[in-house]
Amino acid sequence: MTTRLAIGLMSGTSMDGIDAALLETDGEGVVNPIAFMFFPYEPDFRPRLRAAMARALEMHAPARDALIDAVEQESTGLHAMAVHRLLAATHTRRDDVAVIGFHGQTIAHRPDRKWTWQIGDGATLKAATRIQVAYDFRSADVAAGGQGAPLAPGYHRARSEELGRPLGVLNLGGVGNLTWFAEDVTWGSFDTGPGNALIDDWVRAHTGRSYDEDGKVAASGMCHDNVLQTLCDNPWFDAAPPKSLDRNAWDIGALRGLSPGDGAATLTAFTAETVRLALTHVPPIGRLLVTGGGRLNPVLMAELAQRCAVPCDAVEAVGWNGDALEAEAFAWLAVRVLDGKPLSWPETTGVPVAMTGGRVA
């Protein structure tokens, strides 16, 4: 099948910036990563993005709102800038790119109410870049009864065909999600629980830093097991997958009064413990490959290895770029949107049948 150049854009639940990847792919097993760039958000944009998210969480369904509309247009402009800079840096002609996969920014995710909300104006991005844009990747799945997340598992499967089984690919972004492959042909995926989001929010609130670099804040404290147990005492962890959750689903009031270090240590243990709980729902995993920002936190990686009792390696161990993987996935998915191929499956989101989706501008 013919390969095409595609750009993938991802702004995840960590809300730190835009990942942009250039990929050559056929939307199946042929994958050739070409380039990746990260464009951090300016500090003054992040509070506006968080305000839009807070506004969305107050709503019972997506609706027009002046604040959210303004943030959407600003975000779309930043994504357009990312495309232009990626093309310039790689000396890639605009006309050679078949499609941009534009995930947008999730500001609310409510599959239980059959809606999910990613802001990002596909038509505006197309006008700014003069490249066709695939966007709105999750809505069709949610409308059909799926969780709408995670969507990267198909790409994980395409990239890992040559790796041994059983295998798990764990993405630790703002939210954690796991793709698992058993020794036979069975596979699946689901959200595991909080990834870095709660740690980031705690560290920002108590130290002013945007995240816990190298796990230093957590390393300065100790985990409070009673608080950890309170956090884990949630029926969501007992629910059978596939399942997904919103970034802001957890109340961390139980940490009130803890020192910055103790709070960070407890939340880091919580993220690792949620992965252990997730593994109780799947066949035995021989190895976890970890992608996303969490793989760069040595304290979190050590907690994972200890609690899950399986080898845990950053995806760089098998030659993948853990910073680029999510953006690459949306480039791959965008090609599938053009070809009318499924983006999600019953095993990955719980949707009744394999689902196409996305819209093209």
Side-chain angles (χ1 to χ4, degrees):
M1 185 171 289
T2 304
T3 62
R4 281 162 283 183
L5 284 181
I7 291 174
L9 301 174
M10 181 67 192
S11 175
T13 49
S14 294
M15 298 186 292
D16 55 351
I18 299 166
D19 297 329
L22 180 64
L23 189 73
E24 181 184 17
T25 183
D26 63 353
E28 294 287 351
V30 178
V31 175
N32 177 27
I34 296 172
F36 168 77
M37 297 180 73
F38 172 66
F39 303 95
Y41 286 140
E42 293 295 331
D44 64 343
F45 177 65
R46 294 173 191 168
R48 291 195 290 279
L49 189 55
R50 285 193 287 271
M53 183 176 293
R55 183 74 59 84
L57 292 174
E58 297 171 354
M59 298 182 179
H60 296 290
R64 293 301 301 268
D65 177 89
L67 169 63
I68 293 174
D69 289 349
V71 170
E72 179 175 53
Q73 290 306 308
E74 186 175 5
S75 175
T76 302
L78 293 173
H79 281 78
M81 180 193 68
V83 170
H84 290 305
R85 291 176 63 181
L86 179 65
L87 292 174
T90 58
H91 306 288
T92 301
R93 294 192 319 139
R94 181 189 68 248
D95 292 345
D96 290 338
V97 179
V99 65
I100 296 169
F102 180 27
H103 174 267
Q105 178 69 56
T106 298
I107 58 172
H109 183 64
R110 294 286 187 265
D112 55 319
R113 303 177 190 173
K114 290 194 179 297
W115 61 273
T116 183
W117 196 353
Q118 288 76 46
I119 57 171
D121 188 329
T124 296
L125 183 63
K126 179 184 179 182
T129 61
R130 289 183 286 167
I131 301 170
Q132 67 179 339
V133 175
Y135 67 108
D136 191 18
F137 289 90
R138 302 185 188 273
S139 295
D141 181 274
V142 171
Q147 292 289 308
L151 287 186
Y155 184 64
H156 295 162
R157 183 169 65 171
R159 291 295 303 269
S160 68
E161 291 287 357
E162 304 303 318
L163 301 179
R165 304 286 196 254
L167 177 70
V169 180
L170 175 66
N171 177 41
L172 289 178
V175 172
N177 51 70
L178 171 72
T179 307
W180 58 270
F181 304 96
E183 286 188 296
D184 56 19
V185 297
T186 57
W187 71 308
S189 69
F190 57 100
D191 285 353
T192 57
N196 303 308
L198 297 184
I199 304 168
D200 291 349
D201 290 350
W202 176 269
V203 168
R204 183 182 303 108
H206 291 82
T207 72
R209 305 174 196 173
S210 58
Y211 69 102
D212 189 8
E213 184 177 3
D214 295 328
K216 292 175 183 176
V217 180
S220 73
M222 58 175 287
C223 174
H224 288 239
D225 290 336
N226 60 324
V227 177
L228 175 61
Q229 184 57 48
T230 298
L231 294 171
C232 292
D233 186 17
N234 189 306
W236 190 85
F237 294 116
D238 298 323
K243 55 185 176 178
S244 66
L245 76 163
D246 187 85
R247 180 195 191 280
N248 296 297
W250 255 261
D251 178 2
I252 59 172
L255 279 77
R256 192 172 293 113
L258 297 190
S259 70
D262 286 2
T266 303
L267 289 171
T268 300
F270 180 42
T271 291
E273 180 65 11
T274 63
V275 177
R276 186 194 70 79
L277 293 171
L279 292 177
T280 66
H281 292 290
V282 306
I285 294 297
R287 182 186 192 186
L288 273 177
L289 294 176
V290 186
T291 185
R295 80 193 193 289
L296 303 176
N297 182 330
V299 177
L300 178 54
M301 291 293 285
E303 283 279 353
L304 276 175
Q306 178 183 349
R307 291 177 181 274
C308 298
V310 296
C312 298
D313 300 306
V315 294
E316 282 76 7
V318 295
W320 301 356
N321 183 338
D323 292 329
L325 206 63
E326 286 281 294
E328 291 171 3
F330 281 93
W332 184 84
L333 288 165
V335 170
R336 293 180 71 85
V337 170
L338 296 185
D339 293 340
K341 294 178 179 177
L343 311 183
S344 58
W345 294 263
E347 297 93 337
T348 62
T349 66
V351 71
V353 296
M355 280 295 300
T356 57
R359 293 190 284 167
V360 179

